[in-house]
Amino acid sequence: MSTHDLYTIPAELSTWNVDMAGSSRFTWEYDDGRDRMLALYQKGKDKQWDSVKRIDWGLEVDPYDVLGIPDNTIAIYGTPLWERMDNKTRAEVRRHGAAWQFSQFLHGEQGAMICSARIVESVPDLDSKFYAATQTMDEARHAETYARFLQEKVGLAYPINEHLKSLLDSTLTDSRWDMPYLGMQVLIEGLALAAFGVMRDITTKPLPKQILAYVMQDEARHVAFGRMALRDYYRNLSESELREREDFVIEGCYLMRDRLRGRETWETLGLSQAEVAEAMEAVDQSEYLRLFRSLLFSRIVPCVKDIGLWSPRLQQAYADMGVLEMAGQSLEALMKQDEDIADKLDAERFAVEEAERHAEVAETIAMGSTS
């Protein structure tokens, strides 16, 4: 089945062509690079995995209850609009919400694959090219994984959200080599990593939990890569150059915040214009979504601070968004947690498989002794 058959609203049948600016940079310096970057590159090689083998695709998923979380996480829950809906419509709300969320994850991963390939092409340092090459493979695996999940388990997909598309466009069309880092590694990856984390921690369903945990194990390294490269580079920029980057961050953060509203899901469900407006009002007033949006900046804000973009103007923008307090988050602690959770899932799964093998052997021996 074509992916276009799964889209709830028509997607562009042709490719989205983005005219990129800037230079492709070769370097003839093949000596050892920065120890931290090379260590990250080694880790990137060591941690490669196959989604066909590592993920248990035999696990069932109810497309009307993908994450197995309470309905009070839905923005319109408890509103008059929710009360007027029958059970069938409420089931569709759950399904479309999950399909929209994972579809944006999918499109973001393709964007990350293209941005990391762009970094390989444009970054001047060989050690950065090495690591970005491993990230390109990571992102291809993530896109493959989310596409399979939507196709086989959810059976529904959404085109790329206009706000995510706008940020990708700005990131890829900028001629400066550091902008794919800033747009993708810091903003898009940072927000996605936090979104994955929230969903990984609240889902009660094993398959999405596996997918989110394993993808996060990779993404934590990618954000660390962006921090290393930009922190070194931004130390030497002028005040005006830093201000240009801060303008990009502020605009990008507002785009990411607005992306989370998901207006297209309500329009696709067949609601009237008045009901769509009612749903969007509930989205904007939802206390759960306010907290969710705040948590989504838990990776971005401390990263922006760490790379040296922390003027009073930028801090005020984060205060206006209600996320300034996220600056105190420890990215190292979050990254270690992401690694540990994925490793724990692996250990638990291998323990179950080992127990099953022992049981099969014992059963075979028992059958042989009675024959």
Side-chain angles (χ1 to χ4, degrees):
M1 177 183 292
S2 166
T3 303
H4 282 278
D5 295 331
L6 301 181
Y7 282 129
T8 56
I9 47 183
E12 298 171 356
L13 288 173
S14 61
T15 57
W16 175 36
N17 300 323
V18 179
D19 295 326
M20 300 185 194
S23 302
S24 297
R25 294 176 175 84
F26 286 79
T27 177
W28 311 124
E29 180 58 76
Y30 293 104
D31 294 336
D32 290 343
R34 292 162 288 185
D35 290 342
R36 291 175 303 146
M37 191 67 77
L38 291 174
L40 198 64
Y41 168 55
Q42 184 62 47
K43 196 168 189 179
K45 291 188 294 181
D46 292 340
K47 293 289 187 177
Q48 293 291 322
W49 49 277
D50 185 347
S51 68
V52 174
K53 297 176 180 177
R54 195 182 190 193
I55 293 170
D56 185 359
W57 291 104
L59 292 168
E60 294 295 326
V61 173
D62 180 354
Y64 298 99
D65 188 21
V66 171
L67 295 175
I69 55 179
D71 284 344
N72 59 13
T73 59
I74 300 172
I76 65 169
Y77 177 80
T79 65
L81 176 59
W82 177 264
E83 298 302 328
R84 293 196 302 270
M85 290 179 173
D86 56 24
N87 289 334
K88 182 179 179 181
T89 305
R90 291 177 182 176
E92 288 296 333
V93 168
R94 298 184 197 100
R95 184 186 185 208
H96 279 255
W100 180 84
Q101 188 71 271
F102 279 93
S103 293
Q104 303 319 309
F105 291 167
L106 167 60
H107 303 314
E109 296 295 351
Q110 183 183 176
M113 179 177 65
I114 291 171
C115 283
S116 52
R118 178 73 173 136
I119 290 171
V120 174
E121 180 184 21
S122 63
V123 71
D125 308 303
L126 190 65
D127 52 6
S128 293
K129 290 180 184 292
F130 281 169
Y131 181 76
T134 68
Q135 181 179 341
T136 305
M137 183 59 205
D138 287 345
E139 307 298 3
R141 180 171 58 250
H142 300 169
E144 170 201 355
T145 301
Y146 283 127
R148 181 172 179 179
F149 183 71
L150 285 165
Q151 290 165 347
E152 295 185 5
K153 303 299 183 179
V154 182
L156 201 66
Y158 274 81
I160 188 170
N161 176 268
E162 60 177 333
H163 302 294
L164 175 58
K165 189 175 183 180
S166 177
L167 183 53
L168 277 172
D169 188 54
S170 299
T171 298
L172 288 168
T173 56
D174 198 296
S175 62
R176 295 166 291 188
W177 67 261
D178 64 295
M179 298 313 281
Y181 279 104
L182 191 56
M184 177 52 66
Q185 311 289 83
V186 176
L187 299 183
I188 298 176
E189 292 271 36
L191 183 136
L193 191 54
F196 297 164
V198 172
M199 295 174 68
R200 175 200 65 192
D201 294 342
I202 65 174
T203 183
T204 59
K205 303 297 184 179
L207 182 57
K209 192 176 191 72
Q210 280 184 21
I211 291 171
L212 292 163
Y214 295 153
V215 169
M216 286 186 72
Q217 193 174 36
D218 295 338
E219 301 290 13
R221 293 195 307 275
H222 303 166
V223 174
F225 171 45
R227 286 171 63 206
M228 287 182 194
L230 296 181
R231 188 168 50 205
D232 292 344
Y233 181 59
Y234 286 175
R235 287 193 186 106
N236 301 312
L237 293 189
S238 66
E239 187 174 332
S240 62
E241 289 172 324
L242 289 174
R243 185 180 179 88
E244 289 174 353
R245 272 72 177 178
E246 288 181 345
D247 287 339
F248 182 86
V249 167
I250 292 170
E251 180 184 357
C253 285
Y254 277 115
L255 284 171
M256 290 293 90
R257 184 196 65 177
D258 292 342
R259 177 181 83 78
L260 300 171
R261 300 178 76 230
R263 183 184 184 91
E264 56 266 44
T265 59
W266 306 108
E267 294 174 336
T268 306
L269 283 164
L271 304 182
S272 67
Q273 288 187 348
E275 288 173 326
V276 170
E278 193 177 346
M280 294 311 298
E281 183 179 358
V283 167
D284 293 335
Q285 294 180 357
S286 167
E287 183 61 25
Y288 171 80
L289 287 185
R290 186 201 64 76
L291 176 61
F292 183 68
R293 282 191 291 267
S294 177
L295 289 172
L296 293 188
F297 283 88
S298 63
R299 311 277 181 142
I300 294 176
V301 177
C303 188
V304 169
K305 181 181 179 181
D306 183 69
I307 62 178
L309 301 180
W310 202 242
S311 68
R313 186 171 63 99
L314 185 56
Q315 292 179 53
Q316 185 57 54
Y318 282 140
D320 293 342
M321 293 182 204
V323 297
L324 183 61
E325 71 277 6
M326 293 297 173
Q329 291 283 331
S330 168
L331 291 171
E332 285 76 15
L334 291 170
M335 181 176 176
K336 184 178 186 307
Q337 180 186 58
D338 296 337
E339 292 270 3
D340 291 346
I341 289 174
D343 288 341
K344 183 180 178 182
L345 280 177
D346 275 342
E348 290 173 350
R349 184 176 172 191
F350 294 152
V352 170
E353 291 176 353
E354 188 68 18
E356 290 173 348
R357 281 194 291 270
H358 283 303
E360 288 176 3
V361 171
E363 184 180 353
T364 301
I365 292 173
M367 290 175 63
S369 65
T370 57
S371 60

